[in-house]
Amino acid sequence: MDAQTIHEKVVSDYENYIKSFINISDEEIRGKVLKTLDEGKLWPDPLFQFNPSFEKSVSLSDLVEQGLLHDELKNVFHGYSLYRHQKEAIELGASGKDFIVTSGTGSGKSLTYIGTIFNKILSNPAEGIRAIIVYPMNALINSQSGEINKYAETFEGLTGKPFPIKTGQYTGQENDEKRSKMLEEPPNILLTNYMMLELILTRTKEKSLRDSIYRNLEFLVFDELHTYRGRQGADVGMLIRRLRRRCTNKIISIGTSATMVSGGSIEEQKSAVAGVAKSLFGVQFDNAQVINEYLDKGSATAPPQPGVLRSEIEKGITTGESVEEIKNFPISSWLENKIALAEKEGLIIRGKPLSLKEIAENLSHETNADFEECLNYLKHFLKELGRANEEIGKSNPRGTFLPYKLHQFFAQTGSVYISLEAAGKRIITLDQGRYAESESNIPLYPTVFSRESGECFHCLSLDEQNGKLQPREFQVRSEVDEDENETRDGYLIPRSDDNWTWDPIEDLDYLPTAWVKVKKDGSREIEKKYKNRVPREIFYDSEGNFSFDEELEFNGWYMPMPLLFDPTSGTFFDAKTSERAKLASLGTESRSTSTTITTLTTLWHLADHGFEPHKQKFLSFTDNRQDAALQAGHFNDFMQVTTLRSGIYKAVEQAEGQKLSYEKLGQAIFDALEMGSDDRFLDFAHANEVPSFPSARKSYEETLQKLFVYRAIYDLRRSWRVVLPNLEQSGLLEIDYANLDEDINVEQAWSKVPFIGQISSEDRKRVIFNILEYFRLEFALESKSYLDHTSLNENRTQIIDKLKQPWSLNRDEELPYPKRIRFKTLARNQKIDTASAGISSGLGKYLLLEAKRAGGEL
């Protein structure tokens, strides 16, 4: 597996995704932002962490022969060799002592408590719940349950006897039948999570489990101990104490974790872990009960001399070297001794994770070789190391040499922070901070950008009492009542020589008619309730002093939030529209979107590198089930949308002349997604087999085609889905109107239409096209086949009955219903009131300017 190449492609894809949303018109700001991103500000170089070998000890059979463990355990863990930390933990457990194991991932921590529990139950057989193992996630419960079943199969295969220990998992995943059986016959080992354990101890229906626990419990295990901290840790601690108080037997407490503490001496680390265990379990722990990992070197050779290492670097690495040759490379010994491992208090410990550049710098410093030469040599070696370990892992997963992990961190994008100074002197940074320097009086303002024009909007609050512009973070809604507070949230749009200007008289033409009042003398002014919604000239200096009357060093325009009007693009917004739909911070992605994008690109590149479908996996951890459900929904929604759009794109691409008419849309998408095969039919159809009669099959396929049409036309409406713009918004699709050119040129038909009939056919086409675009984008469409009430109801029923998920509708999901838009004509002026009609600002402004330019009125 070429992990580095896959990683580089994933990061590159994510970088391209983030950069695709950057729309900054100011070249200086844009250049600084892109330069900072190219330097890895939001996706720094990954850290390489080598997984060292664990120190081996005796076999489990040896402990059986010594009389420490029950004789049957050698049939349960047949052929198992123990690491040193496993042996020490099992010895503590077998002697009836509590213990905590803090060893790395893949070190067999679960074997320490499973072996301890099995030994006790086999030595003293009895019914009832003897042990509870608590996991932070149900996925871990499912995995551990599978491992225990493997132990049972091994035992039964060697002895021919049924496995004497019953195990059951009790989570929110089991059906009523499984739960009822477990309530009647409680298992010996119960696998659960702490929330379900709380319910077992309190709900009436779990009384049989609760009674069995109180009578028989001897072991309480908490896996991934580090997850229980803060309020959750306090909840778990109280739960354990309540459980202990009611139990008849002495409870042995066991915990495991790969990460608990860092820093300090080894004994200090153990003391810290013991303190955490005491707080959680409510019993005394000493340092001897905390088992750390013991590491060993995979190579017996000492670190090579610098001259030997440099010679090897100059010679390079031949692709396809054998596993043994790679193990004997001088660089292998150097990486293990100098990077992967370190020594502390006479023990071998893990080395600090480093980026590949940092490792190359260490290698260059030690050998006096060129840095770039060292970096390229390491990249080649690690690629060969990955290939060798893949080969080793086929026969002996534990025999890999210097396997490593890549830790990639992605920072959340946010605002750009800019000082209020002249171009060329401004401080532009992505680092959050209130002032340019700790001793400076120059404030930095979070800055966002118009989604339409790319002009910058500095986020600030007006402190009118002190005459100061106070920086504020970009927010979706204003939390300040400007009628009761002298500080008002808003935006400063700086003025420059090459950007737009606002004229309070001339630019009234650009405002909706509802915003402008015509006085008796024919003059116009802005309606009172909209006066503070248009740009107001403001004067300011670099230290944040401002005035609306007195000229200062700079000037620009102030606008309060929420923003109803973007003067830099002439766009008007509904009062309910979120600020994030109008203005963009540096990136528009959320945590869910970032996870989805990185997951999808990872799976793509695994497929490109030849991984079989069942090996194309991505594991995502989250803190709670609500976040997990949200992320799962995000994945599903993303895949549904992108699958549909890929179908539309491919359908148009394959159409004659790359033009596709609306009537053929459903069939074209169906063909583009290759849904016509027998296998694909069973994927989407509510049928047990492919129908023998073509007419029956056709009815299912036509139903799916109808759903494609609904999804497609609704996806191509005007949408504020800024993180996933549709094909048209992305510039990948153009939509035109059939016969428009022909109809526009029929002068006789247009001659009696005011204004429209008096302008040129070229201007007429532009006006009519924009009107049609407005209706389409607002989803104000008419279609007897799809969008009237009868068709919607009939098609919805067919879709739910004939199609299955994910190709169908949910039971409570409605098909998209078109909007109805009414226009009001003011006969006395022969005008259309664009504001009361609800026409979007872009269309209203366009029609008004067209009419004015042509000398008419609309």
Side-chain angles (χ1 to χ4, degrees):
M1 175 180 178
D2 188 358
Q4 292 179 77
T5 301
I6 293 176
H7 166 266
E8 288 171 0
K9 289 182 177 179
V10 169
V11 174
S12 176
D13 287 344
Y14 183 75
E15 179 180 355
N16 290 335
Y17 175 77
I18 295 298
K19 287 183 176 180
S20 70
F21 291 101
I22 296 177
N23 178 24
I24 303 175
S25 62
D26 188 301
E27 290 298 327
E28 182 186 10
I29 299 175
R30 179 179 177 82
K32 177 67 174 180
V33 167
L34 293 178
K35 182 175 183 292
T36 305
L37 294 183
D38 289 338
E39 293 171 351
K41 175 69 176 180
L42 300 182
W43 35 84
D45 290 339
L47 298 179
F48 281 70
Q49 183 178 36
F50 292 90
N51 288 342
S53 302
F54 298 102
E55 183 179 337
K56 294 180 175 61
S57 183
V58 299
S59 70
L60 191 136
S61 296
D62 291 335
L63 297 184
V64 172
E65 297 299 328
Q66 295 172 17
L68 183 66
L69 301 178
H70 191 273
D71 186 62
E72 291 286 22
L73 281 182
K74 63 185 179 184
N75 295 319
V76 178
F77 303 104
H78 181 69
Y80 271 71
S81 295
L82 299 178
Y83 295 127
R84 179 179 170 184
H85 63 267
Q86 289 177 314
K87 173 179 176 290
E88 290 186 1
I90 290 174
E91 287 175 341
L92 285 174
S95 62
K97 292 184 178 181
D98 310 307
F99 64 85
I100 306 293
V101 179
T102 61
S103 58
T105 303
S107 62
K109 294 187 291 294
S110 61
L111 180 65
T112 61
Y113 57 78
I114 292 295
T116 298
I117 294 169
F118 280 6
N119 179 63
K120 181 68 172 181
I121 295 176
L122 290 171
S123 300
N124 299 286
E127 295 297 318
I129 299 176
R130 307 281 297 280
I132 297 175
I133 306 176
V134 181
Y135 296 89
M137 290 181 294
N138 290 343
L140 294 175
I141 296 175
N142 298 333
S143 174
Q144 191 61 68
S145 182
E147 289 299 313
I148 292 176
N149 290 336
K150 290 179 183 178
Y151 297 144
E153 291 171 2
T154 300
F155 176 86
E156 292 170 355
L158 290 173
T159 65
K161 299 184 295 185
F163 192 54
I165 301 172
K166 292 185 292 185
T167 305
Q169 57 185 82
Y170 202 82
T171 68
Q173 302 174 116
E174 287 72 47
N175 57 35
D176 291 339
E177 182 181 352
K178 287 185 177 180
R179 289 193 182 194
S180 297
K181 184 176 181 181
M182 196 176 299
L183 292 173
E184 294 173 3
E185 300 179 21
N188 301 125
I189 302 174
L190 183 69
L191 310 181
T192 188
N193 56 66
Y194 91 92
M195 286 298 297
M196 190 57 72
L197 180 57
E198 173 83 35
L199 296 176
I200 290 173
L201 299 184
T202 54
R203 292 197 301 204
T204 303
K205 69 176 184 178
E206 278 92 359
K207 185 177 185 303
S208 61
L209 290 181
R210 182 163 59 251
D211 290 344
S212 180
I213 290 171
Y214 291 155
R215 283 195 306 268
N216 305 295
L217 189 68
E218 296 176 79
F219 294 93
L220 182 61
V221 180
F222 273 79
D223 193 40
E224 304 292 348
L225 207 61
H226 63 275
T227 61
Y228 304 104
R229 43 190 183 181
R231 188 181 70 177
Q232 181 174 301
D235 289 343
V236 171
M238 295 296 289
L239 175 65
I240 292 174
R241 285 159 176 78
R242 189 164 76 246
L243 180 65
R244 282 182 176 279
R245 190 174 67 249
R246 296 293 303 275
C247 287
T248 303
N249 300 319
K250 175 192 173 184
I251 307 299
I252 295 176
S253 301
I254 301 173
T256 68
S257 177
T259 53
M260 287 287 282
V261 294
S262 60
S265 67
I266 293 176
E267 287 303 309
E268 287 172 341
Q269 291 177 0
K270 286 189 173 185
S271 295
V273 173
V276 172
K278 177 183 177 182
S279 298
L280 192 70
F281 288 109
V283 295
Q284 188 65 42
F285 277 82
D286 58 38
N287 289 8
Q289 293 169 280
V290 178
I291 309 300
N292 285 354
E293 64 187 11
Y294 296 93
L295 305 180
D296 198 6
K297 294 182 180 180
S299 172
T301 60
Q305 294 296 318
V308 173
L309 196 52
R310 175 164 184 163
S311 175
E312 290 294 320
I313 294 172
E314 292 172 350
K315 185 170 66 173
I317 295 175
T318 304
T319 301
E321 300 277 12
S322 69
V323 173
E324 287 304 317
E325 286 174 326
I326 289 176
K327 280 188 175 183
N328 292 325
F329 278 167
I331 189 64
S332 298
S333 178
W334 183 84
L335 279 173
E336 184 175 49
N337 285 277
K338 296 297 183 73
I339 304 298
L341 301 175
E343 284 196 11
K344 185 175 184 177
E345 301 172 32
L347 295 175
I348 300 174
I349 63 170
R350 294 170 184 262
K352 179 183 176 183
L354 299 172
S355 70
L356 192 59
K357 289 181 180 178
E358 290 174 320
I359 298 174
E361 286 173 356
N362 289 343
L363 182 59
S364 174
H365 176 74
E366 184 156 339
T367 62
N368 288 323
D370 178 70
F371 167 77
E372 289 295 332
E373 190 177 6
C374 291
L375 183 62
N376 292 329
Y377 181 83
L378 284 170
K379 286 181 178 180
H380 194 177
F381 171 76
L382 291 173
K383 185 176 181 178
E384 288 298 298
L385 180 63
R387 179 191 57 77
N389 277 329
E390 188 174 0
E391 187 177 327
I392 296 171
K394 293 176 182 178
S395 57
N396 180 18
R398 283 191 170 192
T400 54
F401 175 69
L402 278 184
Y404 61 88
K405 298 177 184 176
L406 286 177
H407 297 273
Q408 178 64 60
F409 297 92
F410 293 96
Q412 181 76 41
T413 55
S415 301
V416 182
Y417 294 83
I418 304 176
S419 61
L420 301 181
E421 296 180 281
K425 296 182 179 180
R426 292 176 295 187
I427 297 169
I428 304 170
T429 178
L430 272 59
D431 294 322
Q432 186 174 3
R434 190 172 180 85
Y435 293 98
E437 298 176 2
S438 58
E439 303 297 327
S440 173
N441 291 325
I442 306 297
L444 298 177
Y445 294 83
T447 303
V448 290
F449 306 91
S450 167
R451 291 195 181 278
E452 298 294 329
S453 68
E455 293 288 344
C456 65
F457 286 63
H458 298 304
C459 301
L460 47 79
S461 297
L462 295 183
D463 182 356
E464 297 197 77
Q465 183 175 356
N466 298 305
K468 283 285 188 179
L469 300 175
Q470 301 292 353
R472 67 170 178 85
E473 290 299 326
F474 181 51
Q475 58 200 50
V476 178
R477 299 287 180 193
S478 175
E479 300 177 357
V480 179
D481 184 347
E482 53 187 69
D483 293 331
E484 299 180 4
N485 197 306
E486 293 181 344
T487 301
R488 290 181 290 161
D489 293 342
Y491 305 97
L492 168 64
I493 312 173
R495 181 171 186 166
S496 64
D497 295 334
D498 56 353
N499 73 352
W500 65 279
T501 58
W502 175 259
D503 188 305
I505 303 299
E506 291 296 325
D507 290 340
L508 291 182
D509 290 338
Y510 290 86
L511 300 177
T513 54
W515 285 40
V516 181
K517 178 173 67 175
V518 180
K519 302 196 304 191
K520 292 181 180 180
D521 60 2
S523 62
R524 296 178 299 164
E525 66 178 12
I526 299 174
E527 290 281 0
K528 182 178 179 180
K529 71 175 185 176
Y530 293 111
K531 279 188 176 180
N532 70 333
R533 292 299 172 185
V534 298
R536 182 182 179 187
E537 188 169 21
I538 187 172
F539 303 95
Y540 59 93
D541 63 23
S542 61
E543 294 186 359
N545 300 303
F546 83 93
S547 172
F548 286 113
D549 304 310
E550 180 184 348
E551 290 193 10
L552 296 173
E553 187 177 1
F554 307 107
N555 73 321
W557 288 268
Y558 169 79
M559 298 191 72
M561 73 171 295
L563 202 66
L564 297 185
F565 169 43
D566 176 3
T568 68
S569 64
T571 307
F572 290 81
F573 307 102
D574 184 273
K576 296 180 180 179
T577 303
S578 165
E579 296 294 278
R580 292 193 185 279
K582 313 163 192 175
L583 303 168
S585 52
L586 178 57
T588 58
E589 88 295 346
S590 62
R591 183 176 59 183
S592 296
T593 305
S594 297
T595 303
T596 297
I597 293 296
T598 52
T599 299
L600 185 60
T601 57
T602 300
L603 295 176
W604 278 344
H605 293 304
L606 287 175
D608 289 343
H609 277 69
F611 281 80
E612 299 172 15
H614 71 279
K615 292 183 179 179
Q616 298 168 22
K617 296 182 180 180
F618 193 100
L619 183 61
S620 175
F621 290 91
T622 188
D623 291 339
N624 56 63
R625 66 177 64 187
Q626 287 83 5
D627 279 355
L630 174 66
Q631 186 64 63
H634 197 282
F635 277 134
N636 292 333
D637 181 60
F638 187 93
M639 291 308 302
Q640 182 185 73
V641 170
T642 52
T643 299
L644 173 71
R645 290 176 182 174
S646 65
I648 297 172
Y649 183 88
K650 189 175 181 181
V652 176
E653 189 177 45
Q654 292 177 343
E656 184 179 352
Q658 294 192 336
K659 294 182 179 180
L660 184 66
S661 65
Y662 161 75
E663 295 86 357
K664 300 177 181 178
L665 183 59
Q667 178 71 55
I669 297 174
F670 183 90
D671 293 340
L673 293 178
E674 301 176 353
M675 304 299 293
S677 68
D678 290 350
D679 290 340
R680 298 307 299 270
F681 177 86
L682 294 176
D683 282 343
F684 68 79
H686 259 314
N688 295 324
E689 59 184 16
V690 179
S692 301
F693 297 102
S695 59
R697 176 169 182 163
K698 185 177 180 181
S699 68
Y700 285 99
E701 293 178 344
E702 287 179 345
T703 301
L704 180 60
Q705 291 169 22
K706 288 178 182 178
L707 180 62
F708 284 153
V709 174
Y710 281 116
R711 298 282 196 208
I713 60 176
Y714 192 66
D715 188 55
L716 292 170
R717 75 198 190 285
R718 176 177 285 111
S719 173
W720 289 113
R721 182 183 282 189
V722 295
V723 297
L724 196 60
N726 63 35
L727 292 173
E728 191 176 15
Q729 292 169 315
S730 303
L732 298 174
L733 182 72
E734 291 183 5
I735 296 180
D736 207 339
Y737 297 91
N739 307 316
L740 182 60
D741 289 332
E742 180 182 351
D743 294 343
I744 283 297
N745 292 316
V746 183
E747 296 293 341
Q748 184 179 358
W750 297 102
S751 61
K752 295 182 180 180
V753 180
F755 173 64
I756 302 292
Q758 282 73 56
I759 60 180
S760 68
S761 59
E762 182 181 347
D763 290 339
R764 184 184 303 140
K765 179 181 178 180
R766 286 194 292 143
V767 172
I768 298 301
F769 181 85
N770 274 273
I771 292 174
L772 294 173
E773 284 287 271
Y774 168 69
F775 281 101
R776 177 180 68 84
L777 294 174
E778 290 297 322
F779 203 61
L781 306 174
E782 183 179 31
S783 170
K784 297 295 184 184
S785 303
Y786 287 95
L787 298 176
D788 67 351
H789 277 293
T790 302
S791 299
L792 284 167
N793 291 332
E794 290 177 355
N795 291 337
R796 182 179 183 275
T797 301
Q798 287 182 13
I799 289 169
I800 292 176
D801 289 346
K802 291 183 176 296
L803 305 180
K804 62 185 179 183
Q805 295 292 352
W807 300 100
S808 185
L809 298 170
N810 297 321
R811 286 287 172 180
D812 57 348
E813 184 181 0
E814 297 292 335
L815 287 170
Y817 184 73
K819 289 184 180 180
R820 292 289 182 258
I821 299 176
R822 297 182 179 181
F823 291 88
K824 177 181 178 183
T825 303
L826 304 179
R828 66 179 185 274
N829 294 325
Q830 294 186 340
K831 295 180 181 179
I832 294 178
D833 185 341
T834 58
S836 62
I839 297 181
S840 70
S841 61
L843 179 60
K845 170 185 169 182
Y846 178 83
L847 294 179
L848 184 62
L849 293 178
E850 282 295 322
K852 189 174 181 180
R853 187 189 65 77
E857 288 187 322
L858 179 64

